[in-house]
Amino acid sequence: MNVEAANVSKRFGVYTALDDVSLEVPAGSLLALLGPSGSGKTTLLRVIAGLEVPDSGRIVIGGEDVTRRPPRQRNVGLVFQHYALFGHMSVFENVAFGLRVRGLPQREVQERVEELLAYVQLEGLGCRFPAELSGGQRQRVALARALAIRPKVLLLDEPFGALDAKVRVELRQSLRRLHEEMHLTSIFVTHDQEEAFEVADEVVVMNRGRIEQVGAPHHLFQCPANAFVADFLGDVNVLHGCVSCGRASFGGLEIPYPEYPGETPLPATAYLRNHEMELRRTGNGEMHVAVRIAHAKNTGPAVKLMLIAQPCRSTLHLELRPEEWERLGLAIGDTAYIVPRRLSVFVTEGPATQTTLGKE
Amino acid sequence: MYEVQEAHLPIRLHRRRRHILPGFGLGLGYTLTYLSLVVLIPLAALFLKAAGLGWGEVWTTVTTPRVLAAFRLSFTAAFLASALNAFFGLLVAWVLVRYRFPLRSLVDALVDLPFALPTAVAGIALTAAYSREGWIGRWLTPLGIEVAFAPLGVVVALTFVGLPFVVRTVQPILEGMDQEMEEAAASLGASRWVAWRRVVLPHLVPAVLTGFALAFARGLGEYGSVVFISGNMPMRTEIAPLLIVTKLEQFDYAGATAIAVVMLAASFLLLFAINGIQWCSRRRYGMA
């Protein structure tokens, strides 16, 4: 079932949690709502679930307008960050809750719950209480409980947020598997870029109650729509400079920027990713930025460098393989050159451009 | 010589292992002394006195019709009053925790009034309100309901003094309760009422029972507020604590002690019940 939010706004007092948000989730997709805390991603999820009523706008699930419908009539599976299991009920009864509320006969309840517990690999734990389970097991009970009512849409709020790293990775994979096997439309909230990129088909980047960009992970990574997205996706280095007369300049680096032909210089930023730049002892002509090596730390598999760009004083972080670092023969305090292969330029109130430089 | 010392050293160190936080010995010592002086020694003396009396005589005293009637009234009235409080206390706690309304903190403070007010004041106020010419009593008398100077008056007084117990035991549990559980229930298809009965209420039951037991124990021993409104008619509106005082005034120390021992035993049973409830719920659900 496809899910659609149309012009949804929600305020809490003076705080705007959602500001005219529109989003379409095609049936069968696995979508991540990604953003920093306070970006409105959880509120959007709660509005879709029916736990919050939007101030304006509509929610459409499977072609039906459900904006005014209470959560119990939406048939949407919901998984909470802190599981929200019923502590006074056994695991079996937790999973059975939705079925019992629907008045299903005991035999069917028994069958369905056992099938689900087996599916989430908790067979035999039906008579335990949630307090006796580990975090990962609790999360799987929460999943089984949400799936028991055979929802067409599964909503997960920071589903892996409270778990340790190893369990997280396992559960990510099982979410992917479950999404495919159960033919669901799934939406999950996360603030972890890596998690969103690894699990989701499509990622929605949110900030301050608005959607900044929607796209497949590789698309977001290569063509961030604005400085916020580029910054939030992480591992970027920032150079400060300016644009004028159709060119952008960042220290020794000059690239065409035809979007702004004006003569008054405008401040601009260039974003360079770690793996899209090269460190050299000597410059190769015009396409380089001079840097001073401020710090170098060999962590074993990699040497982590901190570089200060000479023209704009911004700090760049770069990782090299130890043998590369050896070969360069540089030391702390030396001057070297950064040669970017690709960079994104953002001008405040201007369009973004991605430029691929040199020969790849 | 040297070797002997070596051998002794670890043992001594082990026995005199120091607590990281200072003051453990002093704190424990003070607690035990304090509890002994105020609670344990007087209660032990009571049992010793009763034992000196001979259990046969205790039995004869507490099975006289007048004493039995007083016990019956005390236990029934305390039970009814705490049952009322279990229901309405839960309601008050729910309203205080879940709703925001003007003067909420004033209402919250009012709940403690029965604790703060001298019980005699409560007794006089209730008698004034519920007597035949009182503000409330004048509407009840035509309906044939007598409150003041009747067993019902005892129930009213005990309801008043027991009010804070359930409210104050349920309130923190309700405040700490994750509203996400109700949301989860709603998303699974439960109506508001079903979510409340199947998810919220089971969480509150241990607290309600604890509050009920506390109010019941308090009701059994309550004296000040009851003596005004009940009229203290033997066999009809005389409560057990009053009977103790009456016997003391008649210098019948043995009789007073006998009744007191029964009351004490009842209080102990209630305390055990409260602890049992708390222990069970903690063990089962991992919460208090």
Side-chain angles (χ1 to χ4, degrees), chain A residues 60-353:
Chain A
V60 179
I61 298 178
E64 275 182 272
D65 187 335
V66 296
T67 317
R68 301 281 146 194
R69 248 191 238 172
R72 70 191 155 97
Q73 289 169 15
R74 294 194 185 194
N75 205 38
V76 157
L78 199 53
V79 175
F80 293 87
Q81 179 178 6
H82 299 289
Y83 328 124
L85 296 178
F86 307 132
H88 61 285
M89 290 184 201
S90 66
V91 168
F92 184 95
E93 284 305 320
N94 263 283
V95 179
F97 187 85
L99 306 172
R100 296 221 193 276
V101 167
R102 280 167 174 70
L104 260 68
Q106 171 66 23
R107 254 203 36 233
E108 264 176 66
V109 172
Q110 183 89 24
E111 263 172 41
R112 177 91 180 121
V113 173
E114 270 164 19
E115 177 195 334
L116 278 162
L117 286 180
Y119 189 76
V120 297
Q121 293 158 1
L122 289 174
E123 57 269 81
L125 295 183
C127 47
R128 298 270 190 94
F129 280 88
E132 300 166 330
L133 301 180
S134 72
Q137 290 174 324
R138 283 182 214 183
Q139 188 60 286
R140 282 185 276 157
V141 175
L143 258 175
R145 183 179 68 176
L147 292 171
I149 58 170
R150 298 184 195 278
K152 289 279 167 270
V153 177
L154 182 64
L155 305 175
L156 307 104
D157 185 9
E158 300 262 1
F160 316 116
L163 299 167
D164 59 60
K166 189 167 169 284
V167 184
R168 281 170 94 117
V169 173
E170 281 172 24
L171 275 171
R172 277 181 202 171
Q173 286 154 6
S174 57
L175 174 61
R176 191 69 243 187
R177 178 177 64 105
L178 170 154
H179 169 81
E180 275 152 21
E181 291 176 8
M182 302 237 165
H183 308 291
L184 293 161
T185 305
S186 313
I187 303 176
F188 76 101
V189 161
T190 181
H191 61 262
D192 184 343
Q193 183 251 121
E194 196 193 316
E195 192 168 285
F197 278 27
E198 198 184 306
V199 181
D201 303 322
E202 261 205 313
V203 177
V204 176
V205 182
M206 293 190 70
N207 181 35
R208 294 198 197 159
R210 292 178 152 275
I211 291 177
E212 298 281 358
Q213 193 174 6
V214 184
H218 66 273
H219 177 74
L220 291 184
F221 203 74
Q222 278 168 10
C223 312
N226 54 40
F228 174 81
V229 176
D231 212 10
F232 189 72
L233 297 187
D235 288 336
V236 288
N237 291 300
V238 184
L239 289 174
H240 299 285
C242 61
V243 289
S244 62
C245 308
R247 291 192 74 71
S249 87
F250 303 92
L253 195 70
E254 287 235 354
I255 53 167
Y257 189 79
E259 287 84 352
Y260 181 69
E263 284 184 14
T264 335
L266 286 180
T269 38
Y271 283 74
L272 299 119
R273 293 197 186 277
N274 206 334
H275 60 273
E276 289 168 352
M277 61 192 195
E278 203 182 321
L279 186 71
R280 295 195 184 167
R281 269 185 86 89
T282 51
N284 69 335
E286 64 204 72
M287 291 302 182
H288 64 71
V289 182
V291 292
R292 192 173 56 79
I293 297 169
H295 192 73
K297 175 101 180 88
N298 192 336
T299 60
V303 178
K304 296 189 175 181
L305 301 175
M306 196 173 104
L307 313 166
I308 310 285
Q310 290 306 331
C312 59
R313 320 288 311 156
S314 23
T315 309
L316 307 180
H317 294 274
L318 180 62
E319 271 183 37
L320 291 179
R321 288 196 305 277
E323 56 273 21
E324 271 181 279
W325 173 243
E326 291 285 319
R327 206 179 54 223
L328 283 166
L330 289 162
I332 292 170
D334 287 356
T335 300
Y337 299 89
I338 284 286
V339 180
R341 280 195 295 270
R342 186 190 158 79
L343 77 168
S344 308
V345 176
F346 300 103
V347 179
T348 327
E349 284 144 36
T353 53

Side-chain angles (χ1 to χ4, degrees), chain A residues 46 72 85 88 101-102, chain B residues 181 183 186 188-189 198 284:
Chain A
R46 290 173 62 86
R72 70 191 155 97
L85 296 178
H88 61 285
V101 167
R102 280 167 174 70
Chain B
M181 275 203 290
E183 294 177 346
L188 292 168
R198 305 261 324 258
R284 200 157 163 213

Side-chain angles (χ1 to χ4, degrees), chain B residues 67-82 154-155 158 215-223 226 236-243 259 263:
Chain B
V67 176
L68 277 182
F71 276 140
R72 197 178 304 128
L73 177 64
S74 270
F75 279 93
T76 331
F79 182 85
L80 288 177
S82 33
V154 182
V155 177
L158 295 185
F216 187 65
R218 169 77 199 264
L220 277 186
E222 177 57 21
Y223 172 79
V226 179
R236 207 168 99 77
T237 60
E238 192 176 47
I239 54 167
L242 178 77
L243 207 52
I259 301 171
M263 302 293 284

